[in-house]
Amino acid sequence: MTDWKTSFDDGVANFKRKNYKEAIELFTTAINAQSPGHMALESRAAAYEQIDELKEALSDCRTLIKLFPDRHNGYTRASKILVRMKEYSRAVNIAKTGLSRIEEPKGRARLETVLESALAAQTNDEPHQELSECYISKLPHELLALIFEELVETGQMSPVRMCHVCRQWRQVMISMTKMWSRLVLYPDWKKNKAKTSTWMERSRGRLAELQVKSLNSLNLWLDQYGKDSTRHIERISFDIDGDNLPIHFLLDANPVSLYWRAKYSNSSHMRLPFRVQNKAPLRLTELVLIAIPIDWNTVAKQLKNLTKLVIQGEGIGCAHLFGILERSTTLVTLRVHVTDADNFDQDGRICLQNLVELKLTKGGAIIKHLELPTLEILELTRMDVDQALQDLSPQEPSLKLLNISRCINFSETRQLLPPSLTSLSLTGLAAKPDGWIEAIVKGRCPLLVHLDVSATRIGTGCLLRLIATRNGQTVQEEASPTPIPTSLESLVMNECQEIGSEYLSHIRAKVPLVTCIYERKNRR
C-alpha cells in the first residue's frame, strides 16, 4: 500500500506548481490509503475549487464537516464555495452552523469573517433576486388559468406557444379545454391535420368557435369528426370564395355569432348555412355578411334580438330591414347597405334605445323612421346629408364621431353639426367643405380633436383659420367666462391637391399629427 504521507506531500508540491489535476489524483490516493484525514480532504477541496469544479469541492467540504465537525476548515471553505455558486442563503447558514459548533478563537474569527462576506454578498444580490424571481409560478392554479384565458382570448398568445414555456404552464394549458375550443381550418388540410387533431383532442370535441378558410378542409374535417362536432359551436366565421360555397350547404349548428365574407359574390341568393326549421328563430346575436347575396324573404323572419348587424357589398331591402329592427330593438351596432329606401314608407319611428353605431350606405331616408337616443357614431355614404341630419331624432344627438363620405347636398348641414363631436370626417366630397370648416372656426363643435378632409377640394385659407383659432390659443385664464375650444390633435389631408405645400410646415408645427400623402407631389 502506498504511503499516504508520500502521496499527500507530492500532491502539495503539484498544487504549488498549479498542476491541480495531478494534485487531485495524489490527494485521492492519500485519502484511499488511510481513513480520510482532514488535511487530504481539505487540500483536494482546494484543488477542485481552483479548476472550478465547485460541486466536487463542496462534496469534500461536507465530508470534512461530517467527519471533523469541531474543525472550522470545512465550514469556511464550504461557505466561500457557496458564495461563488451564488447560493448566498446557504453560505450564510453554513457559516452560522460552524460558529455554533466551533469554540477555538482562531477558527471562530475566520468563520466570522466568512459570515460577513456571505451576508454582504446576499445583501448586494437582493435587488437582482427580486427582479429575477418568477412570481407567476407561485400563483394558484385557478388564478394562473384566468390569466392564460385572457391572453388567449385577446389574441396576445397562442395556446401552443404557451405550452412550450415550462412544464407547469403546459399542464395548466392542457387541463383547460376552453383554451382549445377555437379551431381554424386552413386550406392546406394535410399540413394542418395534425394540429387539428391536437385541438380536437384537447378541447374534448366541444368547440366554441370555428373559423373556416377552405370549404375542402371543412368537408374533410366533418368526414373525420362527424356532424355532431358542430352542435356546440357558438361562433362561426366563413372566409372563403362565395362561388365555391354550395347554395344548400348546411351545418348542424345554431350559433350566436356568424361572420361570412366572400371574395367573389355568388349570383344566386342563399340562406344562412344552418340546418334549422324555416320558422324557427336563430340564436344569432351578431351577424356580419360581406358580399353575400342572401334570400331575405326567408332569413329576415328568423332573426331576432340581434345586437350587431353588418351587411356590406350586397344590400338589403327596407321592408326586410325594418322587420329585423322591430324584433331587435336592442341593437348596438348597425352597418347596412340599403337598396330601396326612397320608396319605403312606414308610420311612426322604431326606437333603437341601445344603438351606439350607425353606418348607412345609401338609404338615408330610413333615418326618419328611427329614434336613436344613444347614438354616438354616425357614418353616411352616398346620400343626401342635409336631409339625413335633419331627420335625426333627437335633433341634436350626442354624436362623438361623424363620417360623411361621397355624399351630396351638404350646404346647410354645417348648422346641424352636433356640439358633442370629437371626430369629423369629410371625405370624397365633390363640393368644397369650406362652409363646414368656417362653422367650426366660429365655435361649432368645441370638443373636436380629429379632422379628416381627404379627397376634397378644401382650400388652404379656411384650414389656416381653423388652426389659428384652435391651436393658436393661449392658456385660458380662470376669470374667462367662455371656455376655449379644444386644440386639434390630428389632421388628415390625403389627396387634397388644393392645399399649398408651402403651408405644410406651418400646419405641422401647430398640429401634433398631420397626414398629407400628396405633400411631395405638390412641391414639384
Side-chain angles (χ1 to χ4, degrees), residues 180-437:
W180 309 91
S181 62
R182 176 177 172 268
L183 178 64
V184 181
L185 297 176
Y186 293 97
D188 193 342
W189 171 255
K190 292 183 178 180
K191 182 178 179 181
N192 294 280
K193 184 177 180 180
K195 180 180 178 180
T196 302
S197 299
T198 299
W199 249 254
M200 295 298 296
E201 177 184 352
R202 293 180 180 177
S203 67
R204 296 183 176 90
R206 295 184 65 90
L207 296 176
E209 181 175 354
L210 178 65
Q211 294 188 18
V212 181
K213 297 183 179 296
S214 166
L215 183 62
N216 182 56
S217 295
L218 176 62
N219 289 328
L220 292 172
W221 176 70
L222 290 173
D223 290 342
Q224 182 170 347
Y225 295 100
K227 297 180 180 180
D228 289 341
S229 55
T230 64
R231 294 186 183 277
H232 304 288
I233 295 177
E234 296 289 314
R235 296 177 297 279
I236 295 181
S237 170
F238 289 100
D239 191 1
I240 54 181
D241 292 353
D243 290 336
N244 294 334
L245 190 63
I247 297 176
H248 302 295
F249 178 82
L250 298 174
L251 289 175
D252 289 327
N254 195 359
V256 297
S257 175
L258 171 64
Y259 174 91
W260 191 359
R261 186 179 74 87
K263 297 177 182 177
Y264 305 100
S265 297
N266 195 317
S267 58
S268 301
H269 285 78
M270 309 169 70
R271 298 182 182 182
L272 298 184
F274 308 124
R275 198 185 308 277
V276 294
Q277 297 180 359
N278 289 337
K279 296 183 179 181
L282 295 169
R283 294 175 59 232
L284 286 172
T285 59
E286 296 184 2
L287 177 60
V288 179
L289 301 172
I290 311 296
I292 303 295
I294 292 293
D295 179 9
W296 291 109
N297 290 322
T298 302
V299 173
K301 300 175 183 179
Q302 296 178 285
L303 299 175
K304 61 183 295 186
N305 300 323
L306 291 174
T307 60
K308 181 177 181 179
L309 176 61
V310 178
I311 304 172
Q312 296 178 354
E314 292 284 339
I316 181 173
C318 282
H320 295 136
L321 175 61
F322 273 82
I324 296 173
L325 296 182
E326 288 175 349
R327 295 185 294 273
S328 303
T329 56
T330 57
L331 266 173
V332 176
T333 301
L334 178 62
R335 306 175 196 160
V336 290
H337 179 181
V338 185
T339 57
D340 57 354
D342 295 335
N343 301 323
F344 179 73
D345 190 20
Q346 173 176 298
D347 295 332
R349 292 176 180 261
I350 297 177
C351 182
L352 301 178
Q353 56 188 0
N354 296 328
L355 193 72
V356 174
E357 179 182 358
L358 174 61
K359 180 178 180 180
L360 292 177
T361 301
K362 299 184 177 181
I366 71 169
I367 294 180
K368 64 184 177 182
H369 303 296
L370 300 175
E371 186 78 23
L372 309 170
T374 58
L375 189 65
E376 295 183 0
I377 301 173
L378 178 61
E379 300 185 37
L380 305 175
T381 304
R382 294 180 178 177
M383 66 179 65
D384 186 330
V385 179
D386 281 357
Q387 190 62 50
L389 292 184
Q390 289 173 9
D391 290 339
L392 272 177
S393 179
Q395 282 295 320
E396 283 197 358
S398 300
L399 286 180
K400 294 182 179 179
L401 184 149
L402 177 60
N403 186 346
I404 297 174
S405 177
R406 292 173 289 174
C407 290
I408 59 173
N409 294 341
F410 53 90
S411 57
E412 301 298 330
T413 315
R414 58 180 179 272
Q415 304 300 329
L416 303 174
L417 286 173
S420 56
L421 273 186
T422 61
S423 177
L424 175 62
S425 178
L426 309 171
T427 60
L429 303 179
K432 288 188 175 184
D434 293 20
W436 290 60
I437 307 304

Side-chain angles (χ1 to χ4, degrees), residues 20-60:
Y20 300 115
K21 292 186 177 181
E22 290 81 355
I24 289 171
E25 294 178 358
L26 291 167
F27 290 142
T28 303
T29 302
I31 292 170
N32 294 333
Q34 65 158 12
S35 297
H38 67 87
M39 294 174 62
L41 279 170
E42 184 184 358
S43 299
R44 189 171 68 173
Y48 276 130
E49 187 179 359
Q50 290 296 325
I51 59 175
D52 293 329
E53 294 186 9
L54 301 183
K55 291 184 178 180
E56 289 76 6
L58 189 60
S59 177
D60 278 351

Side-chain angles (χ1 to χ4, degrees), residues 445-460:
C445 309
L447 303 178
L448 192 71
V449 294
H450 171 75
L451 177 63
D452 185 351
V453 289
S454 297
T456 62
R457 296 168 54 203
I458 189 168
T460 306

